[in-house]
Amino acid sequence: MPAPEIPTPRPTPAQPGLSTADAAHRLAAEGPNLLPGSAPKSTLAIVRDVVTEPMFLMLLAAGGIYLALGDRGEALFLLGFVFVVIGITLAQERKTQRALESLRDLSAPRTLVIRDGQEQRIAGRDVVRGDLLVLHEGDRIAADALLIDGQLEVDESLLTGEAVPVAKLPAAQGAAPDTQQTPSPTPGGDGTPSLFASTVVTRGVGVAQVCATAAHTAVGRIGADLAATVEPPSALQQGSRRLVRTLGTAALVLALAQVLLGWWWNGRPLLESLLSGIALAMAILPEEIPVILTVFLALGAWRIAHQKVLTRRVTAVEALGAITVLAVDKTGTLTLNRMAVAEIATADQRFRPADGASEMPEHFHLLAEFAMLATPGDPFDPMEKAIQHFGHQWLEGTEHVHDGREPEFEYALSGEILAMTRVFASDEPDLHLLATKGAPEAVADLCHLDAARLGAIRRQVEAMAERGLRVLGVARGRWRGPPPAPDQSPPWPQSQHDFDFDFLGLVALADPPRPEVPAALAECRRAGVRVIMMTGDHPATARAIAQQVGLSERPQVLTGPELEALDDAALAERLRHVDLCARLKPQHKLRLVQLLRASGEVVAMTGDGVNDAPALKAADVGIAMGERGTDVAREAAALVLLDDSFARIVAAIRQGRRIDGNVRKAMRFTFAVHVPIIALVLGPTLLKWPTLLMPVHIVLLQLLIDPTCAVVLEAEPEDSNTMERPPRPVSDSPFAMGPLVYSVLQGLGVAALLLGGQSWLAGQGWGSAQSRTVVFGTLVLCVMLLILANRDLSRPALLGITRPNPWLWRIAAAMALLLAAVLGIPGLRALMGLALPGAQGVAVAACLLALCLVWLELVRRAGRSLVRTRLPGPGGR
């Protein structure tokens, strides 16, 4: 006999719902049940903001200079990067709009309402305050409401982070919501009547009255926080902007001074003085800086994608290398967000699947069998799915599995009895088997146990709860009722209390940890990254999961109510000693992230629910789960884990540190190589010498410098101690005084030696073309020396050759070909004002190159402390 459907609660005459006219009036007055969206910035406005940035103005200026000089290839190379960055910025500006649109879509499903006393299915956007919602298993709730009839279990993990559905019971009679008010209930309450938009009914049917729509719902308030949250700026971009402004001003002033000095002081022709001024401006303007930032971060995002991590905000790649705090959500991040049976227990024994047994002892078979019988065969509820999966896993092939067996009658969970019973026919006439599961204390009460047995069960339940387990009691019963009339069901008792049950044992369920999490957390600790759990779950569950994965040994837990009672200073002090935060609301997570950042931490935040979205956006690096994460979380985050593996976060941090280190190497090289170029342009003017470097020489040098910055140093392998040292300090910028002084010292020594060589050659009576050849050729080879000197600060420059880099020998070959071309092709040699150096010139260049190598080694030994990490190790910074 098929199981009867539980009847849908019907509106009483006092509950006819709104009239169509009233609903239309409220919809017109209060607006649709949609989250408000922000007006997107126009494409023209975004482009204007990008091209007026000093960094990109410098790119445009440098490209314009190259174009004026007729070097179209170099000009197009630089100007092309402007359009690349404009495209990236356009994508970033659209991200917030997509996040809000995703949140709006989530909040507006179709729903069944009662209007004019009739059930109608309408679009979620048309739901208004006062509407009666008819809710069934699997429905997504369209608005915040109060349950007035029926019983439900609701999955609120999207708002609270708790994986376990929450039981909902009707509001007390006479306590129907005042639809003129907008209540602010708290998600997560067991037994409360409060229902929330965008959550999902996992069990039961009911009628609820809408009390808040659109932006006034709980999910709407999260949307408001998300819209108001400002993504943190990039420290690297801020530092580069300041430096570019300074260098741009210096370039203009010195270029003008160069023109005036050359024309007035040296008596050069005005055109030659102008060319010299342009050359100086080109030498001072390090257009490689925006190229480095764009290429390194873009290629970094590409490399991270190979670790199955999608980059949605390119600047987050930079912040990865400096993360000091990793704030992780529990559900879906540390755990699988999938309930599983962790343990079953009788009075004196227990069975745990995780212990590795190949089969379940027979004396647990009866307990598992009746747990399955008390559960629908194809359930929607995640806990019931876990019970059915467990039973089929351990009982398959035995007589204890009863697939397809349907109950004759069901007693649903109620406010009076927190247990459900399913009644089955047996082989004996008029004998019925009863399978019951529910809250342990409720099931034990149905079994009429003595005080000693009740106390033992209570202690078992408390021990399981302390380990973060959700516990259910299971019982079986037999009932022989009076013979029913023909074609009628037996006269079932009114209450489950009218039966006699035998208590079989306990079934404990948990959201199991991800298997890769313990090793990933251990690597975080070795890398000096502190991990803090931020969850909406119960403190006992948070503590149990933290112990299982090795997150923290500190037992203290900071709860949401405790957090609300603390001011920022007291909370910051408390947070120094606590790694676990539980019972958090979305605004709590947002406050914690903002407070950590205000304390000088670089914060990465992981999450997958709508409740995580504001904190994900506010963090330096927001990391969303790609498989189980909501669209809202993915759109708000900077990174998305494509396979939800926590280990990917550690891999991304490793890549971020590698990218950060290579950016610093490229910056050191850039400033070091520009100093001798500037000196060889400005020095002859001050010393009244003939011009050494002209714009054409600088263009050729840029053909070597640009690919060195953008390709060779980007491809550098990670240092051996990448994940064995603390994160770099926030103040440790590649534009800080220490690294700049180191680079300038490298370049000044090379410049002094080259100018000294030019002075000696002139004193020996060498012509300007021959001496320029020796100096220019040595400078080209010094570019290679500077690459080697800045690859690895722990070893001499020449030993850096042994570090693998597929592009190093290619750039060396390009340098050799460049020198061969400019010296071997007569027309090109004449155009550049060079001459064949001869054996003596080669010998002088070799001596100058050897002296430069000695100087670079002296600087490395004396100045390594300026750029190395706080913990010494190979590679340094």
Side-chain angles (χ1 to χ4, degrees), residues 21 83 90 105 126 168 258 287 353 361 370 391 406 470 490 494 497 591-592 595 597 613 633 662 686 732 764 809 819:
F83 294 102
L90 279 169
D105 294 342
D126 296 330
K168 300 293 181 179
Q258 173 85 342
E287 70 273 11
F370 274 81
E406 295 292 339
R470 179 81 172 225
Q494 292 295 316
H497 277 295
R591 183 186 174 194
L592 287 171
L595 186 61
R597 293 193 67 246
N662 288 349
L686 297 175
D732 184 13
Q764 297 297 313
W809 294 110
L819 282 177

Side-chain angles (χ1 to χ4, degrees), residues 40 46 132 142 369 415:
I46 296 172
L132 295 180
E369 174 186 3

Side-chain angles (χ1 to χ4, degrees), residues 671-681 693 746-748 750-752 754 779 782 786:
F671 288 106
V673 82
H674 272 266
V675 171
I677 297 174
I678 295 170
L680 293 178
V681 175
L693 294 185
Q746 285 183 323
L748 282 177
V750 172
L754 293 179
L779 179 59
C782 279
L786 288 169

Side-chain angles (χ1 to χ4, degrees), residues 59-82:
L59 264 180
L60 291 171
I65 291 173
Y66 284 126
L67 197 60
L69 291 171
D71 189 352
R72 296 181 180 178
E74 189 73 12
L76 292 175
F77 177 76
L78 288 176
L79 295 175
F81 276 106
V82 175

Side-chain angles (χ1 to χ4, degrees), residues 278-346:
I278 291 174
L280 181 61
M282 293 169 63
I284 294 174
L285 288 174
E287 70 273 11
E288 298 89 358
I289 291 179
V291 173
I292 289 170
L293 297 184
T294 302
V295 173
F296 276 51
L297 297 184
L299 288 180
W302 175 74
R303 293 182 189 278
I304 291 173
H306 288 144
Q307 303 291 336
K308 295 189 176 182
V309 180
L310 175 65
T311 303
R312 298 184 50 81
R313 192 172 77 214
V314 176
T315 54
V317 176
E318 165 214 340
L320 278 171
I323 289 173
T324 59
V325 172
L326 179 57
V328 297
D329 181 41
K330 178 188 72 66
T331 304
T333 303
L334 297 178
T335 67
L336 294 169
N337 195 19
R338 184 174 64 242
M339 297 300 293
V341 174
E343 182 179 321
I344 62 175
T346 58

Side-chain angles (χ1 to χ4, degrees), residues 683-730:
T685 300
L686 297 175
L687 298 172
K688 295 187 177 182
W689 291 352
T691 301
L692 281 176
L693 294 185
M694 296 180 294
V696 65
H697 299 120
I698 298 175
V699 169
L700 283 175
L701 286 168
Q702 291 296 339
L703 291 177
L704 299 176
I705 295 172
D706 286 349
T708 297
C709 293
V711 179
V712 178
L713 293 176
E714 192 282 331
E716 278 290 286
E718 67 181 49
D719 295 328
S720 59
N721 69 333
T722 294
M723 295 298 285
E724 303 295 331
R725 53 175 169 78
R728 63 169 172 83
V730 178

